[in-house]
Amino acid sequence: SQQGEEDPQALSIQEGENATMNCSYKTSINNLQWYRQNSGRGLVHLILIRSNEREKHSGRLRVTLDTSKKSSSLLITASRAADTASYFCATVDQGAQKLVFGQGTRLTINP
Amino acid sequence: GAVVSQHPSRVICKSGTSVKIECRSLDFQATTMFWYRQFPKKSLMLMATSNEGSKATYEQGVEKDKFLINHASLTLSTLTVTSAHPEDSSFYICSASRQGGGNQPQHFGDGTRLSIL
């Protein structure tokens, strides 16, 4: 089953601009993870943020988590053409191992 | 480099054929691996959790006899699509984490695109 919604479903921006994607979920989570998928490939892990964390950074990526609103956001700064991909959030419930994925956001960076 | 290897990457076969997909953890032992199915431009749907040395745990709605999972070693899980039909055509992906549990990121294989004619 799908955890929740990602917003927007598709996003197209110019190179150099920032991209923000949002994710909502419904359960009590242990952690939330963001993944990137290039077309026809597997997923690549980007960031894992635990339920007791509010913000995490990795290079040009910034992830926030608001457990009171059951939502997370992924910000990609200074976007590049190579950032074109689908981005998925996934949650792990308390006491569980499996990932439950959101619907994903298709990001297109125009040169 | 890749830490989870999935083979084959592409399979095209006739209806009624059984197809086996392998998922290997390359430099770590994985007591648990996961199998997903993905339709075009859609998200990943978990099919089953593969447990080394025991039966797989299937998600609701997934036919156990249709999608056979074997996890005979700590580095290999296989998914066999039995008597495949065109509706089984899809992108199948596996994943595993280095230390198990839910607090580690998953490493994904590159997926297998299955096309049943």
Side-chain angles (χ1 to χ4, degrees):
Chain A
S1 61
Q2 298 301 306
Q3 172 64 288
E5 297 296 320
E6 286 194 54
D7 170 47
Q9 292 187 8
L11 178 63
S12 180
I13 61 174
Q14 293 300 120
E15 196 167 21
E17 294 180 342
N18 296 340
T20 299
M21 288 159 270
N22 303 295
C23 165
S24 63
Y25 58 92
K26 299 175 183 176
T27 56
S28 293
I29 63 170
N30 177 294
N31 65 75
L32 185 145
Q33 304 178 31
W34 284 91
Y35 290 84
R36 183 186 75 222
Q37 184 181 33
N38 289 87
S39 181
R41 303 296 298 274
L43 278 70
V44 174
H45 174 77
L46 298 175
I47 288 184
L48 182 155
I49 186 165
R50 293 183 168 75
S51 59
N52 61 352
E53 298 176 312
R54 293 296 167 258
E55 189 170 311
K56 223 168 178 183
H57 297 254
S58 176
R60 294 183 295 114
L61 306 181
R62 172 179 170 249
V63 166
T64 63
L65 177 64
D66 187 334
T67 52
S68 67
K69 295 181 179 179
K70 295 188 184 300
S71 67
S72 175
S73 67
L74 169 66
L75 168 66
I76 302 175
T77 60
S79 63
R80 305 168 182 170
D83 294 329
T84 294
S86 290
Y87 291 81
F88 294 93
C89 68
T91 54
V92 178
D93 286 347
Q94 294 285 349
Q97 290 191 55
K98 63 183 182 181
L99 291 168
V100 180
F101 282 87
Q103 298 298 322
T105 294
R106 293 192 307 279
L107 176 65
T108 302
I109 309 298
N110 302 303
Chain B
V3 296
V4 172
S5 174
Q6 187 173 341
H7 292 281
S9 59
R10 180 88 194 245
V11 179
I12 302 173
C13 58
K14 294 180 179 179
S15 186
T17 306
S18 291
V19 178
K20 180 184 284 187
I21 303 169
E22 293 187 348
C23 182
R24 293 180 185 274
S25 55
L26 298 182
D27 61 354
F28 64 97
Q29 294 181 334
T31 55
T32 303
M33 292 185 176
F34 299 93
W35 287 97
Y36 304 84
R37 183 172 180 175
Q38 185 178 32
F39 291 103
K41 297 185 178 180
K42 296 294 184 182
S43 187
L44 279 73
M45 298 291 294
L46 179 66
M47 298 175 66
T49 302
S50 175
N51 304 300
E52 187 271 334
S54 64
K55 292 182 179 180
T57 305
Y58 289 82
E59 295 299 301
Q60 190 172 9
V62 178
E63 299 178 57
K64 301 178 183 181
D65 295 333
K66 176 72 173 178
F67 300 100
L68 299 179
I69 290 173
N70 184 280
H71 195 152
S73 79
L74 285 169
T75 59
L76 174 64
S77 174
T78 60
L79 168 67
T80 301
V81 184
T82 62
S83 186
H85 291 283
E87 59 266 30
D88 298 323
S89 297
S90 194
F91 193 56
Y92 294 87
I93 313 176
C94 68
S95 74
S97 67
R98 286 184 179 275
Q99 296 178 353
N103 273 320
Q104 299 296 325
Q106 291 288 321
H107 298 281
F108 286 80
D110 260 349
T112 297
R113 185 161 304 283
L114 176 61
S115 300
I116 307 299
L117 305 177

